[in-house]
Amino acid sequence: ESFNGERAKYREWLFHLEVVLGRIDPELQKTVKQLLRENIPDPSETQMDCHLDQETQDKYSSELYGVICDLTSGEAKKVVRV
């Protein structure tokens, strides 16, 4: 089920995101999970840079964008598109 911006469904969506990231790369899953737990709901670019080095960002940015697009709908997808 995709996340549409409804707060009550955020935790479930976050779990699905973490599962998908774990399939891509377990270390990426661990890093993103830590980043989001510390900075929910919206980590800043500076915080992301501290947790994810540029090489990792370059390697996974397109795939992460695709995953987030796949897991969102409605208002949440509008935010992703911006």
Side-chain angles (χ1 to χ4, degrees), residues 8-20:
K9 294 184 178 184
Y10 179 74
R11 293 266 180 218
E12 182 178 345
W13 175 82
L14 188 57
F15 171 76
H16 290 289
L17 176 63
E18 290 170 359
V19 169
V20 172

Side-chain angles (χ1 to χ4, degrees), residues 5-81:
E6 189 178 331
R7 285 182 161 250
K9 294 184 178 184
Y10 179 74
R11 293 266 180 218
E12 182 178 345
W13 175 82
L14 188 57
F15 171 76
H16 290 289
L17 176 63
E18 290 170 359
V19 169
V20 172
L21 294 180
R23 284 191 224 147
I24 295 169
D25 183 328
E27 191 60 35
L28 176 66
Q29 175 196 34
K30 180 180 172 184
T31 301
V32 170
K33 185 175 182 176
Q34 177 184 358
L35 175 66
L36 291 174
R37 295 285 185 248
E38 293 173 2
N39 301 289
I40 287 177
D42 189 17
S44 70
E45 189 172 334
T46 303
Q47 291 165 326
M48 288 189 288
D49 287 344
C50 289
H51 287 277
L52 293 170
D53 59 65
Q54 191 62 49
E55 182 181 343
T56 302
Q57 289 181 39
D58 292 344
K59 182 176 179 180
Y60 293 113
S61 63
S62 295
E63 195 159 7
L64 287 172
Y65 182 76
V67 166
I68 291 172
C69 285
D70 287 345
L71 293 176
T72 56
S73 63
E75 288 298 314
K77 183 152 323 234
K78 288 178 186 176
V79 171
V80 173
R81 288 182 183 162

